Amino acid sequence: MSRQLPSTRSLQVFSAVARHQSVSLAAEELCLTHSALSQQLRKLEDQLGVKLFQRSPRGIALTEAGRYYREKVDDDLLRLESHALELMARREDESSLLIGAVPVFAERWLMPRLADFLALHPRINLHVKVFPNNLYMADPHYDAAIHYSNAVWPGARMQPLMQEECVAVCAPGTGFSRRIKSGDFRSVPLLHLTSRLTAWQDWFEQASVARAPPKPLAGHRFDLFSMLVEAVRGGAGIGLVPRFYVERELRGGELVLAHPHVLAASQTYAVFVPEHKSKDPIVAAFTQWVASQATPSGRLAP
């Protein structure tokens, strides 16, 4: 069955013209004559049966269909180039391993420990990518992934790693430090992660703080823990974050515990392996290593 695939060259031509909004500049970039490039564009439009550009005496501009197609084509060309460069960079007799991970876990738990795994397996070419927080794909293309245990990955095997524990932190010497030390949180600015807006409410209930704020859901919101922690460091308020995420700042004195209570969060981290990778020795080596690292550094999930 024939596929309706334009040539890579015609897609490069289209992308260059769309980027420059000029046939002459695109021809100069691609080292083509003006007529050769125009011919490539006409062939592409004829093949697709769609007008990609609106031509006028004042120049050339993308049509609505052209703007839509450009978004797709640019992404695809970058992806193809990335695949080629990745293959060119691979060493002989080297195995590749594609790991997905939620950013909070990857940045502050996995990355600081990764050198140990790479030293044990020097012939593995590792690629770590962000694993979406809300995953509803039937077959995501990862060899293994670390995510919350309630992530949706149909058919994948899930092995619990450790339960997340959250602590309340603030910057030392802030204007509200004295109130916090006395146990008065009523007027202390609370910083929230957008995806966990009830976390402070749960923390106050567990900690049995007598002078809690009247509205624990109120406060500034941030999409990422990295943003929230930087705001805490700058003195904007106190944050509730996974303990492993701020170990470095707590050791260095950049942040301090606002209260000794530790919130045993409902979130549990787990490693997922797709069924077709369950017997892969490289994937097995990674999952075993992750589990061995999780045991001493966090409570192993049941």
Side-chain angles (χ1 to χ4, degrees):
M1 182 178 68
S2 63
R3 294 177 180 269
Q4 299 301 312
L5 289 176
S7 69
T8 307
R9 189 57 166 168
S10 65
L11 295 179
Q12 289 176 315
V13 165
F14 166 71
S15 179
V17 175
R19 184 170 62 257
H20 290 294
Q21 298 285 288
S22 165
V23 174
S24 299
L25 292 176
E28 184 179 341
E29 177 188 314
L30 298 175
C31 298
L32 292 173
T33 64
H34 191 287
S35 60
L37 189 143
S38 297
Q39 186 178 16
Q40 286 273 11
L41 281 183
R42 282 195 297 272
K43 283 183 178 180
L44 179 61
E45 289 181 322
D46 290 343
Q47 182 179 0
L48 297 174
V50 174
K51 278 285 186 183
L52 300 174
F53 293 96
Q54 188 69 45
R55 297 161 178 84
S56 70
R58 290 182 296 177
I60 190 169
L62 285 165
T63 62
E64 187 65 34
R67 282 192 290 272
Y68 168 82
Y69 196 51
R70 181 193 176 185
E71 291 178 6
K72 306 298 182 183
V73 166
D74 284 349
D75 287 344
D76 291 339
L77 288 174
L78 284 173
R79 212 167 2 250
L80 286 172
E81 183 181 27
S82 176
H83 295 331
L85 292 173
E86 185 176 337
L87 193 61
M88 292 164 64
R90 185 176 297 181
R91 296 171 293 184
E92 193 175 350
D93 300 327
E94 186 176 64
S95 300
S96 62
L97 184 63
L98 177 59
I99 301 298
V102 281
V104 60
F105 194 89
E107 291 172 9
R108 293 298 185 95
W109 192 95
L110 183 59
M111 293 302 108
R113 294 166 170 81
L114 203 54
D116 177 67
F117 175 75
L118 297 177
L120 293 171
H121 304 278
R123 303 307 299 175
I124 289 179
N125 186 331
L126 186 68
H127 185 184
V128 180
K129 293 184 67 174
V130 171
F131 191 94
N133 280 333
N134 296 307
L135 187 71
Y136 297 100
M137 294 184 292
D139 186 21
H141 300 292
Y142 298 102
D143 296 319
I146 301 171
H147 208 292
Y148 302 118
S149 59
N150 60 355
V152 179
W153 189 347
R157 297 185 179 184
M158 188 269 287
Q159 176 185 342
L161 291 176
M162 64 188 217
Q163 188 177 34
E164 184 182 83
E165 295 180 337
C166 292
V167 292
V169 294
C170 65
T174 55
F176 44 81
S177 297
R178 186 174 298 176
R179 279 172 279 161
I180 290 175
K181 288 180 180 178
S182 68
D184 188 354
F185 288 80
R186 288 173 296 180
S187 58
V188 175
L190 303 179
L191 308 185
H192 300 264
L193 189 71
T194 307
S195 59
R196 302 186 184 187
L197 294 179
T198 62
W200 271 117
Q201 184 171 287
D202 297 338
W203 186 87
F204 281 113
E205 289 176 0
Q206 284 190 20
S208 300
V209 173
R211 288 175 286 178
K215 293 184 178 180
L217 293 176
H220 306 297
R221 302 177 182 184
F222 304 86
D223 280 353
L224 300 174
F225 274 120
S226 56
M227 297 177 182
L228 191 152
V229 168
E230 288 304 313
V232 172
R233 289 177 60 180
I238 62 175
L240 192 60
V241 296
R243 181 157 55 184
F244 67 75
Y245 197 84
V246 288
E247 283 177 348
R248 187 169 62 199
E249 286 80 1
L250 291 172
R251 284 197 304 268
E254 299 169 70
L255 296 177
V256 295
L257 290 176
H259 191 280
H261 178 70
V262 177
L263 175 67
S266 59
Q267 299 285 15
T268 299
Y269 293 101
V271 59
F272 292 79
V273 176
E275 184 65 35
H276 70 278
K277 288 286 184 176
S278 60
K279 295 182 180 180
D280 188 310
I282 298 171
V283 175
F286 178 78
T287 56
Q288 290 166 11
W289 172 81
V290 167
S292 70
Q293 292 292 310
T295 305
S297 59
R299 289 194 176 93
L300 190 64

